[in-house]
């Protein structure tokens, strides 16, 4: 697929830290996460996944990343028509709780000093991720936002958005980045049009069978197809029972990649699956590898969001 919407890694990161979902109560989970042990490695992994997907579509993007440089917990340097630098400063629940209880009276002064150092020493776009309990630390969050208004290139990521980004499934991130970069690619549009013409369970089973065929499987039993339908039932509420629905689905699938036999052992044929889907499969396998089926299901909008997080949307 080709890039049809030119977003820089900085703009892509802004998209990912603008996702909506969850509730203030969810941010209590940050209380169990530690700055160095959990948060820094977790956010670095998300950033690497984002950039890895980005680089799979642009060979001219180069990057270096690291920890703890001039007030930055996670940094991203990339070259794209010039050198760019993004810094993530992570503030944990414990750090803000220590400030609230006056065990650390220099928290704000230290944070401002870190920001000033980072911005002064290099051109940097800076994110402060507040990884804390949005309810318990409401006043502290408000104070931080007020104190950092003076920094033009600093963006504050509030706890709900920080938690969503931290907990995102890497396959979901990969699909999200690809969806944005390749939004108008003819292959992706054709594959989505094909998926939209089917009911959800039909598309899900067909996609699963196609991935199995592309991976070399040629024979599938109706018991295996029943198991695929059961997997779909776990993703979608209020579905019909397999006994009620599968006969009709098998009729729809017959000759479209699945050749139904009377002995209960059916044959898969790669050539008979939608060509846009098989082309997309091998495109994504070549670029990224990993869990191709999950990525394709999200690219084709067969299921609407991350299996872990559910539906997510960007801020308007």
């Amino acid at each position: 697929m080709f890039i049809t919407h030119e977003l820089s890694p900085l703009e892509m990161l802004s998209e990912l830290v603008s996702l909506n979902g969850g509730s203030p109560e969810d941010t209590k989970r940050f209380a169990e996460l530690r700055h160095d042990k959990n948060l820094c490695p977790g956010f670095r992994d998300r950033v690497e996944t984002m950039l890895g997907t980005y680089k799979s579509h642009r060979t001219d993007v180069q990057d270096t990343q690291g920890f703890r440089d001039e007030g930055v917990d996670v940094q991203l340097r990339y070259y794209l028509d010039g050198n760019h630098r993004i810094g993530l400063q992570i503030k944990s629940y414990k750090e803000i709780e220590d400030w609230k209880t006056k065990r650390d009276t220099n928290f704000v002064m230290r944070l401002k000093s870190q920001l000033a150092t980072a911005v002064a020493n290099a051109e940097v776009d800076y994110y402060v991720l507040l990884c804390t309990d949005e309810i318990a630390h409401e006043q502290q969050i408000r104070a931080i936002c007020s104190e950092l208004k003076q920094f033009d290139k600093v963006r504050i990521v509030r706890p709900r958005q920080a938690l969503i980004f931290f907990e995102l499934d890497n396959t979901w991130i990969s699909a999200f980045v690809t969806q944005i970069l390749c939004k108008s690619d003819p292959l992706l549009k054709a594959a989505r049009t094909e998926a939209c013409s089917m009911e959800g369970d039909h598309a899900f089973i067909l996609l699963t069978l196609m991935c199995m065929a592309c991976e070399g499987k040629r024979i599938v039993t109706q018991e295996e197809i029943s198991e695929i339908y059961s997997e779909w039932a776990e993703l979608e509420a209020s579905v019909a029972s397999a006994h009620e629905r599968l006969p009709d689905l098998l009729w729809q699938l017959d000759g479209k990649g699945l050749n139904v036999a009377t002995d209960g052992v059916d044959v898969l044929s790669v050539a008979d699956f939608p060509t846009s889907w098989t082309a997309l499969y091998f495109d994504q396998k070549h670029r990224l590898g990993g869990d191709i089926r999950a990525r394709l299901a999200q690219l084709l909008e067969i299921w609407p969001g991350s299996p872990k997080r559910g539906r997510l949307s960007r801020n308007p």
Side-chain angles (χ1 to χ4, degrees):
M1 290 190 294
F2 298 100
I3 288 181
T4 60
H5 288 67
E6 293 281 354
L7 266 71
S8 70
L10 173 62
E11 293 169 317
M12 192 66 71
L13 181 62
S14 295
E15 293 282 346
L16 285 165
V17 297
S18 298
L19 294 167
N20 286 323
S23 67
E25 289 76 15
D26 292 336
T27 60
K28 293 178 181 178
R29 294 201 286 273
F30 273 132
E32 304 299 322
L33 301 175
R34 295 295 172 258
H35 184 277
D36 292 348
K37 181 180 180 181
N38 309 116
L39 296 174
C40 287
F43 282 117
R44 186 183 187 189
D45 183 52
R46 304 302 175 269
V47 170
E48 287 178 339
T49 298
M50 177 205 79
L51 194 64
T53 307
Y54 200 100
K55 289 171 63 181
S56 74
H57 292 279
R58 288 198 63 134
T59 58
D60 59 335
V61 175
Q62 301 175 11
D63 73 290
T64 57
Q65 299 179 36
F67 284 111
R68 298 298 179 84
D69 178 29
E70 299 170 344
V72 176
D73 287 317
V74 178
Q75 65 176 324
L76 163 60
R77 291 191 179 105
Y78 65 94
Y79 181 87
L80 180 61
D81 301 325
N83 291 307
H84 302 271
R85 183 179 177 220
I86 303 170
L88 274 62
Q89 176 65 257
I90 300 164
K91 291 305 172 187
S92 68
Y93 174 93
K94 184 180 185 304
E95 291 174 280
I96 297 177
E97 179 67 15
D98 285 349
W99 174 41
K100 177 182 178 180
T101 57
K102 303 191 185 309
R103 287 193 293 269
D104 179 5
T105 58
N106 295 319
F107 172 83
V108 173
M109 184 181 299
R110 186 168 57 254
L111 174 57
K112 292 171 73 173
S113 175
Q114 289 170 333
L115 294 179
T117 300
V119 173
N121 289 351
E123 281 294 318
V124 58
D125 291 282
Y126 210 93
Y127 289 81
V128 177
L129 285 76
L130 302 181
C131 302
T132 192
D133 188 324
E134 192 170 305
I135 298 173
H137 294 155
E138 180 181 5
Q139 293 183 4
Q140 287 69 37
I141 293 168
R142 189 180 301 117
I144 292 170
C145 293
S146 176
E147 290 286 346
L148 300 187
K149 284 181 180 178
Q150 62 181 288
F151 295 96
D152 293 336
K153 298 193 75 174
V154 172
R155 175 173 176 180
I156 297 173
V157 181
R158 292 176 177 269
R160 261 179 284 179
Q161 278 68 44
L163 182 66
I164 288 169
F165 184 40
F166 181 78
E167 293 187 341
L168 281 177
D169 176 82
N170 282 343
T171 300
W172 191 93
I173 293 176
S174 176
F176 181 84
V177 172
T178 301
Q179 283 176 321
I180 292 179
L181 289 179
C182 305
K183 182 178 179 181
S184 299
D185 178 82
L187 173 59
L188 182 58
K189 291 178 73 174
R192 281 185 171 173
T193 298
E194 186 80 38
C196 287
S197 70
M198 308 173 195
E199 294 183 73
D201 52 4
H202 179 188
F204 181 80
I205 293 177
L206 186 66
L207 177 66
T208 302
L209 293 175
M210 183 205 73
C211 290
M212 292 165 64
C214 289
E215 290 161 9
K217 189 175 178 65
R218 292 294 177 264
I219 302 296
V220 61
T221 66
Q222 292 187 12
E223 181 180 355
E224 288 176 299
I225 297 175
S226 295
E227 291 173 357
I228 297 170
Y229 186 81
S230 296
E231 188 179 1
W232 169 258
E234 292 178 3
L235 293 170
E236 287 289 321
S238 303
V239 297
S241 69
H243 178 74
E244 295 174 314
R245 179 65 174 143
L246 270 180
D248 185 46
L249 283 173
L250 288 171
W251 180 81
Q252 295 179 59
L253 292 165
D254 192 17
K256 304 293 179 59
L258 176 71
N259 297 308
V260 178
T262 56
D263 59 2
V265 178
D266 306 323
V267 178
L268 299 175
S269 172
V270 174
D272 293 333
F273 287 101
T275 55
S276 59
W277 286 20
T278 53
L280 194 60
Y281 173 92
F282 288 109
D283 174 273
Q284 291 296 289
K285 182 175 182 179
H286 171 73
R287 293 181 189 276
L288 294 160
D291 190 347
I292 307 284
R293 187 191 66 155
R295 188 180 305 116
L296 292 184
Q298 291 162 32
L299 284 175
L300 301 179
E301 299 181 343
I302 293 172
W303 70 60
S306 164
K308 181 173 183 179
R309 295 295 305 170
R311 292 180 181 272
L312 295 171
S313 61
R314 279 171 279 169
N315 282 327

